[in-house]
Amino acid sequence: MPVSAGQDLTTVAVLHGGETPPGLERHAGDARLRFAADADELATVLPGSDVLLTWDFTSDAVKAVWEATDTSALRWVHTASAGVDRVAFPALLASGATLTNSRGVFDRPIAEFVLGAVIAFAKDTARSLALQRERTWRHRETETVAGKVATVVGSGPIGRAVADLLGAVGMRVRLVGRRAADGVHAFDELPGLLPDTDHLVLAAPLTDATRGMLHAGTIALLPERARVVNVGRGALVVQDDLTEALATGRLAGAALDVFEVEPLPAASPLWAMEHVLLSPHMSGDVVGWKDMLVELFADNLERFRDGRELRNVVDPERGYVSSSAGKV
């Protein structure tokens, strides 16, 4: 439903984590901005605010201060990320505040990351770079990606963008969503899809149903040639089980952009594994991404003040934006 501030001057609390959103003051018009770098400052600026922008989407500050803070004036919470697991806790969802995310900003960049990882594995790029540093000339045969099977878990915009790009290079792509739909397998069909999967791509939101979905039991259903690409959330995977499978050769490789604990601890054996590609939660962060996030929020802020429908409204029961909740 439409959300309106109900007053001429809108007050926006911004949890920024030390880096304020670029150009936000210019885009916010005459809205009153209250900046908070951490939980202590957030507890001070949140009371009386109509809107909360969680620019620092890696922070748990909102949950930490929520119960002890007066949030009665808060009508809308926006997170500068596609995932909402940091802010979609029961007390906030029950508060009546509308929750929106930044769906649409990261779709193509993340899909390009996945395609790049798939090709890097097929063409043995890591080994080529290692041999280059050693000045070693070693001829090898590599793989083709055409005809390989990719199972993409997550049928939202990111998963569909991934499926489009992988399909464009000739891969056979199966898309898996919460429920069966045209061109989409239901989540409970996943075990039957794993035995012939060459690349398992995790692009699903983190919900009660998807948490820990890749564990020793589901890994056992994958062929040894399979590789895992996780661009969703670290908690989709039981990391110890995946680490063991990679260490023993039960899986051929993994490209991981997200982890159970971030930053990934230096003691993790994943760092030293030859067939593992690690990146620090940056698969969707391309040049200009912060500007796009600000522009999306500014558009929704204008809608909020006009009493119009907001873009990217998160379904509080599903934990993600449904297909009917607007697109970027």
Side-chain angles (χ1 to χ4, degrees), residues 53-55 57 78-84 100-107 158 292-294 296-297 311-312 314 321 328:
L53 167 59
T54 57
W55 181 257
F57 53 80
H78 179 81
T79 181
S81 61
V84 298
T100 60
N101 73 354
S102 297
R103 163 174 160 156
V105 172
F106 304 102
D107 307 351
I158 293 174
M292 289 186 283
L293 289 174
V294 170
L296 170 59
F297 174 72
R311 297 158 67 185
N312 297 352
V314 174
V321 179
V328 173

Side-chain angles (χ1 to χ4, degrees), residues 194-198 219-227 250-252:
L194 295 179
D196 67 343
T197 293
D198 296 297
I219 289 172
L221 298 175
L222 287 164
E224 291 186 359
R225 68 179 184 275
R227 298 175 176 113
R250 179 61 190 78
L251 291 176

